[in-house]
């Protein structure tokens, strides 16, 4: 009996800890930084990685001989803000119930994003500026229906001198970890359901293809 009481006590303690709101502060300019705060005194820096950790990951460079040719390394391309947001929208549309449960749990106390649009000439800059404004308004409308956003500062402005775009901004949000975990489990269940469904449909599709080929050969 005491064992069950201890077990229930541990479960209730874990649930109580997971129900404590977590605050996250992020900033983006070329690189993304993220800090997590809980209970007003627990603070963690998630991104960027600490310099010590980076040094450990770096392997000592070996001296190259004259015969050895340097191996060509493919540089990993960083995802842009637009690609990350578009991917998030795609996930929400595909795994609606779980993803929407997570998003409805998020409250943005502050959301700022500035986009300086640049191009080779004025005409191209104007076209890019119009597309950027349309993208921003569409994305904001989509997420406003799912999340609570208190303060918003979104600005898109053209720069006819600079040839490249520049994006920077930050946010301060609050969420409940327990609801995030439940929503993630619902998304995982939906993902596994899709995998099982596709695995069952493959033999049927292969059988249909074989029948079609047999009729064509006959």
């Amino acid at each position: 009996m005491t064992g069950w009481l201890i077990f229930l006590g541990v479960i209730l303690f874990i649930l109580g800890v997971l129900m404590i709101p977590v605050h996250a502060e992020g900033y983006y300019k070329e690189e993304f930084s993220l800090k997590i705060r809980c209970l007003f005194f627990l603070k963690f820096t998630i991104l960027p990685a600490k310099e010590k950790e980076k040094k450990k990951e770096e392997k000592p460079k070996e001296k190259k001989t004259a015969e050895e040719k340097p191996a060509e390394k493919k540089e990993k391309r960083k995802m842009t803000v637009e690609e990350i947001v578009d991917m998030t929208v795609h996930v929400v549309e595909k795994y609606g119930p779980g993803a929407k449960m997570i998003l409805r749990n998020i409250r943005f106390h502050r959301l700022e994003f500035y986009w300086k649009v640049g191009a080779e000439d004025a005409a191209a800059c104007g076209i890019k500026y119009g597309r950027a404004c349309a993208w921003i308004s569409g994305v904001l409308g989509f997420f406003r229906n799912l999340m609570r956003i208190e303060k918003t500062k979104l600005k898109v402005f053209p720069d006819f001198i600079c040839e490249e775009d520049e994006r920077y901004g930050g946010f301060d949000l609050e969420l409940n970890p327990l609801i995030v975990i439940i929503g993630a489990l619902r998304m995982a269940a939906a993902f596994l359901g899709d995998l099982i469904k596709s695995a069952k449909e493959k033999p049927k599709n292969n059988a249909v293809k074989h029948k079609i080929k047999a009729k064509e050969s006959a």
Side-chain angles (χ1 to χ4, degrees), residues 94-180:
K94 191 171 184 180
Y95 305 105
K100 288 177 181 178
M101 184 179 182
I102 294 173
L103 292 177
R104 289 195 183 100
N105 171 49
I106 297 173
R107 176 185 290 178
F108 276 94
H109 299 294
R110 176 180 60 88
L111 178 61
E112 298 178 0
F113 184 68
Y114 302 92
W115 188 346
K116 183 173 72 175
V117 180
E120 296 177 356
D121 52 47
C125 185
I127 294 169
K128 284 181 68 177
Y129 172 72
R131 289 176 179 172
C133 290
W135 183 83
I136 284 284
S137 60
V139 168
L140 182 62
F142 178 82
F143 284 106
R144 271 194 183 279
N145 294 327
L146 299 171
M147 293 186 295
R148 291 168 288 179
I149 305 174
E150 295 175 359
K151 294 180 181 179
T152 308
K153 288 184 181 179
L154 303 177
K155 188 176 181 182
V156 183
F157 53 95
D159 188 345
F160 298 101
I161 300 173
C162 184
E163 293 184 0
E164 295 182 356
D165 292 4
E166 185 179 352
R167 306 169 188 84
Y168 54 94
F171 63 83
D172 182 5
L173 62 83
E174 180 184 349
L175 55 83
N176 189 316
L178 182 60
I179 296 176
V180 173

Side-chain angles (χ1 to χ4, degrees), residues 51-67:
E51 292 182 1
K52 291 182 180 179
E53 293 177 358
K54 287 182 178 179
K55 287 180 181 178
K56 287 180 181 179
E57 290 177 0
E58 290 178 359
K59 294 180 181 179
K61 295 180 180 178
E62 297 178 357
K63 293 182 180 180
K64 296 178 182 178
T65 59
E67 295 179 357

